[in-house]
Amino acid sequence: MDKNQEKSLKKIEYNRIVDMLVSRCGFEPGRELARALLPLATRLEAEQGLAETSEGCELLRLYPTFSLGPIRDLRQCLQHVSIGGILTVEELLNVADCSRAARLTRSFFMTVKGNMPILIGLARGLAILKTIETAVEKAIDNEGKIADEASERLYSIRKKIKVSSERVRDRLENIIKNPDTAKYLQEPIVTMRDGRFVVPVRQECRSQIPGVAHDVSASGASVFIEPLAVVELNNDIQRLYRDEEEEVAAILRALTNVVAGFLDELQSNMLILAKLDFILAKAKLAASMNAVAPKINEKDFIHLKKARHPLISAERVVPTDIKLEKSQAAMIITGPNTGGKTVTLKTVGLLTQMALAGLHIPAEYGSELPFYHQVFADIGDEQSIEQSLSTFSAHMVNIINILQAADDNTLVLLDELGAGTDPTEGAALAMAILDTLKRGGSKILATTHYSELKAFAFNNPGYLNASVEFDVATLSPTYRLMAGVPGKSNAFEIATRLGLSKRVIDEAATFLTDRDAQIADLLAGLEEARQEAAAEREQAEALRLSLQAKERLLEEEKQLAQVEASKIIAQATAKSKKIVEDTIEKSKKDYEEMRARFTDEKEAARAYETSRRKLKDWQKELEEVQPKRVYLGSAPKQVEVGERVFVPSLNNHGTVLEVVEGGASVQLGILKVMVKLEDMRLADPQQDEKNIAERKFDRGMRMEKAKAMKSEISIRHLEVTEALDVLDKYLDDAFVAGLQEVRVVHGKGQGIMRAAVTDYLKGHRLVSSFRLGEYQEGGNGVTIVTLDR
């Protein structure tokens, strides 16, 4: 990435988004991936990144408590192993933890529900290293020390140390309890100095206890002496300690060799866990912003719905719609200071770069952005004392660099274009810069105060005037972007509202040049024409809707009559079919009676078969006259991919995925079905929006519930009856919240509560399966319950 693009990323504060992403990663390799995240080089890579984030969001929606577990950065210790080093106990525990996390993660994704091919594909690549887990668990105890059972020799050495230590203590106890020697002791205790057993002797009596002095108390009153009677035993213990150290070193070497045998697999697991951690961080960031996946289009248009700047708090940010069609090369945004012009530029730039980096954006569903190879921004005060550059000069240096690098796949953001110099020359330069960029095929968003640029945009094709709305009555901006409407400075109106006398305002107006007045009149005329056109459009739209409603009413009445007629025929046909079926049943009984009367059984069978064939023919005729079901609405003559349709026979709305001759493939929820054109209706936008809103509301409620719900409940201090009532309500709430797996803590005790919970879960309507917890999950004191989704 060149310096211009790096500088532009800094201008739109992309680095703050990266910082937010880094803070949501679980361990250093994931954080390194987040820190290195930049807009991707190709459209395919950007779409892949967005798909990863979408899968992460879906995972956290279905399994809000999921985590990768206690993963550690093993790269340094693996490097140490690769050059022949020996791992410490702590490092071995970290390796075992990561191996366990990789195994549990792989196992989880092999049973996960939902469409997550990227995450499942990554999880499949995780190596199961049970050999490492088992070796470390056997050799290292829960306190992080080498266990006695790690080897037979270690067990034997530690047993000898224990026996020898007890012999030393016994001899020292005799000294303590012997009245002849106890009187010389400062305290009747046995303690340790330099790894040897000693007793505290009063300083003035040190000669009365023959032995080796190892230490003196801080006060100097006591001397810690190793009596001669235990010197040899202490020497034996010291030799045993050295043997223990050697054996521990041998065990660590053996465990390190086990790790070394799986070095490639561990390094691969590190990379995959880092990638999964990174994807989960992107999903958590999206959830915190209430963000969605934008569509990356190939038609070079920007359409951001209810876009929000991600660095402005949710309480203060004002959502805005930003739309720039393919035919519109540039949007010129005008309006008062602090009205939100610069925020609009930064919002477009930041959301574009986030999307191209594979991050979801804070906007509504349906937002689309093109893929840009370059995004350049000239925003803010570029004055430089060190380089002796004025604000105007600094901006010009940036713009010159942008003009040299921009092409037909570039988005350019220019704040206060042409400012900082003579207004006439500044406006002229701004128009030339805009035209140069436009001829090169770049997409441009620029802010300005110059009235000349408003007129320029109005008079030249490919330009779109826009403004940020300002409420003169309250002297405050609304931050709403209004496309097609050039902004006003509102200087005279604001001054009037603030109390400046009318005489001064009128005198100021006389100083406006004829050109200024013409531009002001032009803009006023444009605004008046816009309002008149809007009013006429509203009237025409109302008339059109009225005519459509009448036409629809007539069509519905016609179809209602057809539906009623088809119902009557269907009812009559159903009754006829019932009569035929009853007759067939009666004929069977008659056949039995005929067999009794006919002497020739074959003749009876022929008579029955003749009657049965006649009845079958009648039944077939009735089925042929059965009318086809009639539904309200008209079938479309054609549909397009992405269009919303309604399938009456399934009573469901869906989206067209693929158009085929005479029909289309339609996505109905999780189902994909082929539907004939005659069997579908174009979706009523209002009803469709209502359905979508209901689904969003339901999903929002589920997500809120999921956020509030904990994946664990403790019932160990309750009576059995009360505990089962609490558990029943908890499982209902967990199911509604969309949790996949929950943890029921019932304690170990005598197993009464565990048995009651097990019996209760066996027949529960929401439970798919359950099991006792593994060692690290709480063992027999916990039951892990998988809910039936």
Side-chain angles (χ1 to χ4, degrees), residues 78-355:
L78 295 180
Q79 175 65 23
H80 187 51
V81 171
S82 69
I83 60 175
I86 305 299
L87 297 181
T88 64
V89 169
E90 182 182 0
E91 289 172 333
L92 286 166
L93 287 173
N94 288 341
V95 172
D97 284 343
C98 283
S99 298
R100 186 180 302 106
R103 174 175 57 82
L104 294 176
T105 298
R106 189 181 194 281
S107 175
F108 170 81
F109 277 106
M110 293 307 99
T111 59
V112 74
K113 295 182 180 179
N115 185 25
M116 305 175 197
I118 297 173
L119 294 179
I120 293 173
L122 285 170
R124 280 204 180 101
L126 290 169
I128 297 178
L129 306 176
K130 192 67 177 174
T131 303
I132 293 177
E133 290 183 61
T134 303
V136 173
E137 287 173 2
K138 179 183 176 183
I140 302 176
D141 62 22
N142 292 333
E143 296 179 358
K145 299 178 180 178
I146 299 296
D148 295 349
E149 297 78 11
S151 75
E152 291 182 4
R153 183 167 183 264
L154 182 63
Y155 180 82
S156 175
I157 291 171
R158 287 182 174 174
K159 188 173 181 181
K160 289 178 183 178
I161 290 174
K162 184 177 180 181
V163 171
S164 298
S165 297
E166 288 175 353
R167 289 174 62 191
V168 172
R169 283 184 175 277
D170 289 342
R171 292 196 182 183
L172 292 177
E173 287 290 335
N174 291 333
I175 294 174
I176 290 171
K177 293 176 181 178
N178 188 337
D180 296 333
T181 55
K183 59 186 178 183
Y184 304 124
L185 301 180
Q186 189 74 34
E187 293 180 83
I189 61 171
V190 176
T191 185
M192 298 280 290
R193 287 294 185 275
D194 299 328
R196 304 176 77 88
F197 290 100
V198 296
V199 291
V201 180
R202 295 205 302 267
Q203 180 69 258
E204 65 271 17
C205 304
R206 61 183 298 175
S207 61
Q208 302 300 320
I209 304 292
V212 180
H214 285 279
D215 197 7
V216 179
S217 66
S219 64
S222 301
V223 179
F224 296 96
I225 293 178
E226 178 187 5
L228 291 177
V230 297
V231 168
E232 191 58 37
L233 286 174
N234 268 334
N235 288 339
D236 290 341
I237 291 173
Q238 291 303 309
R239 283 192 292 271
L240 288 170
Y241 277 138
R242 287 193 293 273
D243 291 343
E244 180 189 28
E245 289 177 2
E246 290 175 2
E247 183 60 18
V248 166
I251 292 169
L252 291 177
R253 190 178 304 108
L255 290 173
T256 301
N257 288 337
V258 173
V259 172
F262 297 99
L263 207 57
D264 290 342
E265 289 84 350
L266 285 165
Q267 290 171 339
S268 175
N269 280 0
M270 271 287 95
L271 294 175
I272 294 172
L273 289 172
K275 183 69 173 179
L276 289 171
D277 183 43
F278 170 62
I279 292 173
L280 288 175
K282 293 199 294 178
K284 291 172 185 175
L285 180 64
S288 70
M289 295 179 177
N290 195 22
V292 301
K295 179 181 178 183
I296 308 296
N297 66 60
E298 297 178 329
K299 299 180 180 178
D300 194 26
F301 70 87
I302 297 171
H303 190 186
L304 295 173
K305 298 181 178 180
K306 298 289 184 286
R308 308 177 301 280
H309 195 291
L311 301 178
I312 300 176
S313 66
E315 296 77 20
R316 294 178 52 237
V317 70
V318 178
T320 186
D321 292 331
I322 303 169
K323 194 169 185 178
L324 198 57
E325 301 293 352
K326 181 178 181 179
S327 59
Q328 297 165 333
M331 177 184 284
I332 310 300
I333 306 172
T334 50
N337 288 327
T338 71
K341 301 190 303 297
T342 303
V343 170
T344 300
L345 286 190
K346 286 187 174 182
T347 299
V348 174
L350 189 51
L351 266 57
T352 299
Q353 294 290 53
M354 286 175 64

Side-chain angles (χ1 to χ4, degrees), residues 340-615:
K341 301 190 303 297
T342 303
V343 170
T344 300
L345 286 190
K346 286 187 174 182
T347 299
V348 174
L350 189 51
L351 266 57
T352 299
Q353 294 290 53
M354 286 175 64
L356 301 186
L359 298 175
H360 285 188
I361 63 172
E364 289 292 318
Y365 286 102
S367 295
E368 295 192 38
L369 289 162
F371 181 84
Y372 294 114
H373 288 295
Q374 303 176 114
V375 177
F376 294 129
D378 180 56
I379 298 173
D381 188 358
E382 291 289 325
Q383 186 170 353
S384 173
I385 296 174
E386 292 83 359
Q387 298 181 22
S388 300
L389 292 175
S390 67
T391 299
F392 174 75
S393 299
H395 278 299
M396 278 300 107
V397 170
N398 282 346
I399 290 171
I400 289 168
N401 291 333
I402 291 171
L403 288 172
Q404 291 172 346
D407 57 21
D408 61 355
N409 205 353
T410 302
L411 174 65
V412 181
L413 309 171
L414 302 172
D415 191 27
E416 299 295 351
L417 181 59
T421 187
D422 176 78
T424 303
E425 293 182 354
L429 272 173
M431 288 185 274
I433 290 167
L434 289 171
D435 238 14
T436 301
L437 289 169
K438 177 175 175 285
R439 284 196 302 271
S442 297
K443 210 77 164 178
I444 314 144
L445 277 84
T447 68
T448 184
H449 282 289
Y450 292 148
S451 296
E452 291 88 345
L453 289 184
K454 305 173 192 177
F456 174 77
F458 178 75
N459 290 322
N460 289 276
Y463 291 90
L464 175 68
N465 266 313
S467 61
V468 286
E469 191 177 49
F470 188 85
D471 189 341
V472 179
T474 61
L475 299 181
S476 61
T478 66
Y479 300 106
R480 287 177 56 247
L481 182 69
M482 299 187 297
V485 181
K488 297 172 62 179
S489 68
N490 296 302
F492 288 179
E493 291 85 349
I494 293 172
T496 301
R497 291 283 300 174
L498 292 174
L500 190 64
S501 70
K502 185 176 184 303
R503 182 179 61 80
V504 175
I505 297 293
D506 291 342
E507 185 175 352
T510 64
F511 291 114
L512 291 174
T513 65
D514 291 342
R515 179 173 176 78
D516 292 333
Q518 289 172 0
I519 292 174
D521 290 341
L522 170 65
L523 296 177
L526 287 174
E527 177 62 15
E528 184 178 348
R530 185 191 68 80
Q531 292 178 355
E532 289 177 358
E536 290 176 358
R537 280 198 303 273
E538 288 179 3
Q539 292 176 359
E541 182 66 12
L543 179 60
R544 185 183 66 82
L545 291 175
S546 175
L547 291 173
Q548 280 187 348
K550 290 178 181 178
E551 184 180 353
R552 189 164 54 248
L553 182 61
L554 290 173
E555 183 63 24
E556 286 177 359
E557 288 176 352
K558 176 183 175 183
Q559 291 179 357
L560 281 171
Q562 293 176 343
V563 169
E564 198 61 34
S566 69
K567 284 182 179 178
I568 293 171
I569 297 172
Q571 290 171 358
T573 305
K575 289 180 181 179
S576 302
K577 289 179 68 176
K578 183 67 169 59
I579 292 170
V580 172
E581 289 169 359
D582 291 345
T583 305
I584 290 173
E585 189 62 32
K586 187 175 182 303
S587 70
K588 291 180 181 178
K589 295 178 181 179
D590 291 342
Y591 169 67
E592 296 300 328
E593 294 176 2
M594 288 166 64
R595 285 185 61 185
R597 292 199 308 269
F598 281 87
T599 56
D600 185 353
E601 188 172 333
K602 289 184 179 180
E603 185 178 349
R606 281 197 298 272
Y608 167 73
E609 184 62 26
T610 301
S611 300
R612 191 184 66 80
R613 276 201 301 270
K614 288 181 179 179
L615 288 170

